[in-house]
Amino acid sequence: DCPKANSYFTGIVDHLVDIQREDGSWRPGVGGDADVYTGAFCASAVLSADRKEFLPAVKGAIDFIRRKSIALINPDDPKVGPKSWQTASSAILFAEYQLATGDDIFFEDLKKCCDLLAGRVSENGRMGHSYDVPYERTGLVIINVQAHLAWALASKCDYKIDPKAWNRSMVEIRKSIGPNTGALGYSSRVPDYPDIPARTGAMATALAIAGEEPKMAKGFADALARYQ
């Protein structure tokens, strides 16, 4: 327990609550639809402070995300709907909210997000920004990682993970492990990629939460200790 770190964290959370916009969003650093996943991660940070007085700010963010992103999901068609970046970050927030508060009011939204991600895992396990897999259909494994983290957290809220989608995605995860680093690279096409923390740390977390692949999870942790 570090007083200096606690002070920094408290200041960050207070600042996020102060600058939240009236519609529940935060101003993203880039344009487009970044306000959705920016909102999800900001709200997750506020939620982690475990301060009851900040729950309205978290719910405000969730309401914004539901209006702008979740409302676009068609459960019968994974080709339409929000980008997978949005979908995964939203699912992570909804699951964290339910686990932190015991309130399952957003469970159906959580399920929609997780089902959409499962429907976007290609036959060879690759994933992209949306349904189509970019970069000559090689994709980018960070989407797989975020999907696994969303599924793992959702499983703690009684969501039933699609085992076929999980296992197909794990094929790409395994192929994206750098032979020189033991960490997750950009994709199976570029496994030894220098920017490894987000992919590697999030996947280790997902595996630990799900109770899957303990050897792989430890390998990722070891890689982070070596290179970061």
Side-chain angles (χ1 to χ4, degrees), residues 32-76:
D33 53 9
D35 52 359
V36 173
Y37 56 81
T38 297
F41 289 126
C42 287
S44 294
V46 173
L47 179 65
S48 71
D50 195 25
R51 290 168 64 178
K52 189 174 181 179
E53 67 268 29
F54 287 165
L55 280 180
V58 176
K59 287 185 175 180
I62 289 175
D63 287 342
F64 170 79
I65 291 166
R66 294 178 74 220
R67 291 192 306 271
K68 185 166 183 180
S69 185
I70 309 305
L72 303 177
I73 295 176
N74 178 350
D76 298 320

Side-chain angles (χ1 to χ4, degrees), residues 21 51 58 180 195:
R21 298 191 288 196
R51 290 168 64 178
V58 176
N180 295 318
D195 185 14

Side-chain angles (χ1 to χ4, degrees), residues 19 22 40 44 70 97 103 163 172 181 194 211:
I19 65 170
E22 287 295 321
S44 294
I70 309 305
Y97 175 87
D103 185 355
E172 178 66 7
T181 64

Side-chain angles (χ1 to χ4, degrees), residues 30 40 69 72 90 111 115 140 162:
V30 295
S69 185
L72 303 177
S90 299
K111 183 178 184 301
D115 288 350
L140 58 169
D162 181 340

Side-chain angles (χ1 to χ4, degrees), residues 96 99 149 151-156 202-212:
E96 292 280 18
L99 292 170
L149 183 54
W151 294 329
L153 286 166
S155 72
K156 302 302 180 183
M203 193 63 205
T205 302
L207 293 173
I209 292 170
E212 298 283 347

